[in-house]
């Protein structure tokens, strides 16, 4: 089993450090943090991650822009959106844009790790499902009946 790779992007250094520390405490997880969202764009284009955790509001490139890039690179990569400006509108905006989940800051470490674990498990299960479909030789349609009597 490989270690899950998580990229955390937040322009608040204290929040970034708190999130990376919490996620790094999870078994089989390697979390990496970036303060600059522009740097995150480069990393998403050149590296693969199992989960993106990003702040919604950041200068230059915001969390929604990162979400779009992540989805273009890997449509199955879950994105967990964080915000210090909670409202129903921002939650709906993030979820409609394709975020897998949404947490408000300051993020509680236990809540963050629980949501991250759930999103990583969902990703793993989707990958296994696709692998089984390929092994069975079909893309979701009913298999041919085979039998003898």
């Amino acid at each position: 089993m490989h270690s899950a790779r998580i990229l955390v992007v937040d322009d608040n250094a204290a929040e970034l450090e708190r999130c990376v520390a919490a996620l790094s405490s999870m078994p089989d997880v390697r979390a990496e943090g970036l303060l600059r969202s522009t740097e995150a764009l480069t990393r998403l284009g050149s590296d693969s991650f199992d989960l993106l955790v990003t702040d919604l509001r950041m200068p230059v490139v915001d969390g929604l822009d990162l979400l779009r890039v992540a989805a273009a690179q890997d449509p199955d990569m879950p994105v967990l959106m964080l915000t210090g400006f909670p409202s129903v509108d921002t939650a709906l905006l993030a979820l409609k844009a394709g975020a897998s989940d949404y947490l408000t800051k300051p993020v509680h470490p236990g809540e963050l790790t629980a949501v991250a674990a759930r999103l990583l498990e969902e990703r793993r299960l989707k990958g296994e499902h696709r692998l089984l479909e390929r092994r069975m030789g079909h893309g979701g349609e009913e298999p041919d009946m085979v039998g003898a009597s």
Side-chain angles (χ1 to χ4, degrees), residues 41-107:
L41 280 177
T42 304
R43 290 301 305 280
L44 287 169
S46 65
D47 223 337
S48 66
F49 295 93
D50 297 296
L51 173 62
L52 171 63
V53 179
T54 181
D55 188 9
L56 180 60
R57 290 189 185 176
M58 293 180 288
V60 185
V61 178
D62 68 13
L64 294 177
D65 292 331
L66 288 179
L67 182 139
R68 288 182 197 101
V69 169
Q73 295 295 325
D74 180 356
D76 293 330
M77 181 180 14
V79 177
L80 174 57
M81 200 68 68
L82 309 176
T83 187
F85 305 95
S87 74
V88 172
D89 290 339
T90 55
L92 288 175
L93 180 68
L95 295 173
K96 282 183 180 180
S100 304
D101 212 330
Y102 174 92
L103 294 175
T104 58
K105 296 197 275 183
V107 176

Side-chain angles (χ1 to χ4, degrees), residues 3-149:
S3 292
R5 295 189 65 208
I6 301 176
L7 179 62
V8 183
V9 185
D10 197 317
D11 60 333
N12 178 311
E15 190 70 29
L16 178 67
E17 187 176 313
R18 190 172 24 261
C19 289
V20 170
L23 294 166
S24 294
S25 73
M26 296 171 63
D28 297 319
V29 167
R30 289 186 304 149
E32 176 182 336
L34 296 173
L35 280 169
R36 289 188 294 280
S37 55
T38 52
E39 198 175 325
L41 280 177
T42 304
R43 290 301 305 280
L44 287 169
S46 65
D47 223 337
S48 66
F49 295 93
D50 297 296
L51 173 62
L52 171 63
V53 179
T54 181
D55 188 9
L56 180 60
R57 290 189 185 176
M58 293 180 288
V60 185
V61 178
D62 68 13
L64 294 177
D65 292 331
L66 288 179
L67 182 139
R68 288 182 197 101
V69 169
Q73 295 295 325
D74 180 356
D76 293 330
M77 181 180 14
V79 177
L80 174 57
M81 200 68 68
L82 309 176
T83 187
F85 305 95
S87 74
V88 172
D89 290 339
T90 55
L92 288 175
L93 180 68
L95 295 173
K96 282 183 180 180
S100 304
D101 212 330
Y102 174 92
L103 294 175
T104 58
K105 296 197 275 183
V107 176
H108 184 274
E111 184 178 21
L112 175 62
T113 56
V115 171
R118 177 181 53 81
L119 294 175
L120 289 169
E121 179 65 7
E122 287 174 5
R123 178 178 171 88
R124 185 188 66 77
L125 291 172
K126 284 179 186 175
E128 284 183 7
H129 183 258
R130 265 192 316 284
L131 180 63
L132 289 171
E133 282 183 337
R134 277 196 303 270
R135 284 185 181 166
M136 291 178 65
H138 62 87
E141 65 272 355
E142 291 296 318
D144 295 333
M145 292 291 290
V146 177
S149 62

